[in-house]
Amino acid sequence: VGHGDLSAGALDDAAYVATLITLADTRHGRGFRRPVIFAAVTAEEKGLWGSRWLAAHPTVAAPTPIAVLNMDQLRPLYPLRILTTLGLDDSTLGRTVSDIARPMGVQVRGDLEPERNLLRRTDHWPFMERGVPSVSFLFGFDASDATAAAAYRDWYEHRYHAPQDDMSTPIDFQAQADFHRFYFALVEAVANADERPEWTAGSPYRPGAR
């Protein structure tokens, strides 16, 4: 599990690191069947430097990771009804994501803007290059949802990579809590599953496909 690009902002990226800390606190005294590595890496936007280093220098506890559950582009500015999932169709992780989100009333979608190449621009990518099934998440919204669209646009125009990314941001704390429930359940499901995640036959990123 992990998040990258340690910046100074409240949402980008302190909130994601806080999610990892909360997960660790929640699991205190209750381990998983498999080792779970909590990682917060740096320099994503300089070329995934931190995650490339970590992928090339795995820990002793997890010399061969079975999955990466990355957090990026999480902006709890509006209710969590849609969760865009990068890598959704590339491994069985996508099915696990959907199985957990569906009872929560959260619709899971693949990347609707592949031209932005987000799959290769965030910190799960160096692991995917090494054959590790991975997913990453964005808070999504429908184009018809004017309120969510306005909140998303305002954050990028006035707070993204700026001092204004602070606690004055109008965070939807229920949306953040909903994501916590989803993410914590996903980590537990993957870490405690009988079978490890597998690549789908049609994924262009599976080992041997490129």
Side-chain angles (χ1 to χ4, degrees), residues 5-168:
D5 189 19
L6 291 178
S7 307
L11 288 187
D12 190 10
D13 295 287
Y16 312 153
V17 176
T19 295
L20 296 183
I21 294 171
T22 303
L23 172 57
D25 287 343
T26 300
R27 297 296 305 191
H28 180 69
R30 296 184 300 121
F32 299 97
R33 290 176 64 185
R34 295 185 176 91
V36 174
I37 305 302
F38 294 80
V41 297
T42 192
E44 177 198 56
E45 293 175 353
K46 293 183 179 295
L48 309 178
W49 288 0
S51 54
R52 289 193 185 281
W53 190 93
L54 183 60
H57 300 82
T59 67
V60 173
T64 306
I66 67 162
V68 170
L69 310 175
N70 186 47
M71 289 182 285
D72 199 11
Q73 299 277 343
L74 295 174
R75 312 284 185 252
L77 306 171
Y78 39 82
L80 177 58
R81 300 191 181 101
I82 299 171
L83 192 63
T84 299
T85 303
L86 305 179
L88 178 64
D89 298 322
D90 292 303
S91 74
T92 56
L93 285 174
R95 183 170 65 243
T96 306
V97 168
S98 297
D99 288 345
I100 293 172
R102 190 180 305 111
M104 295 178 59
V106 177
Q107 180 184 354
V108 176
R109 294 181 180 174
D111 188 4
L112 301 182
E113 301 176 292
E115 67 277 3
R116 296 177 63 193
N117 201 26
L118 293 178
L119 186 72
R120 296 169 181 257
R121 288 169 48 199
T122 192
D123 285 298
H124 61 261
W125 179 245
F127 295 90
M128 290 183 70
E129 287 185 305
R130 292 172 178 268
V132 181
S134 306
V135 285
S136 189
F137 307 103
L138 300 80
F139 270 47
F141 59 89
D142 285 318
S144 59
D145 188 341
T147 301
Y152 186 84
R153 184 171 57 253
D154 177 75
W155 192 88
Y156 269 98
E157 290 178 355
H158 301 113
R159 298 179 187 271
Y160 180 57
H161 287 184
Q164 288 75 22
D165 182 9
D166 58 21
M167 288 306 296
S168 69

Side-chain angles (χ1 to χ4, degrees), residues 168-180:
S168 69
T169 300
I171 296 171
D172 185 327
F173 288 100
Q174 183 59 56
Q176 181 67 16
D178 291 341
F179 180 80
H180 277 195

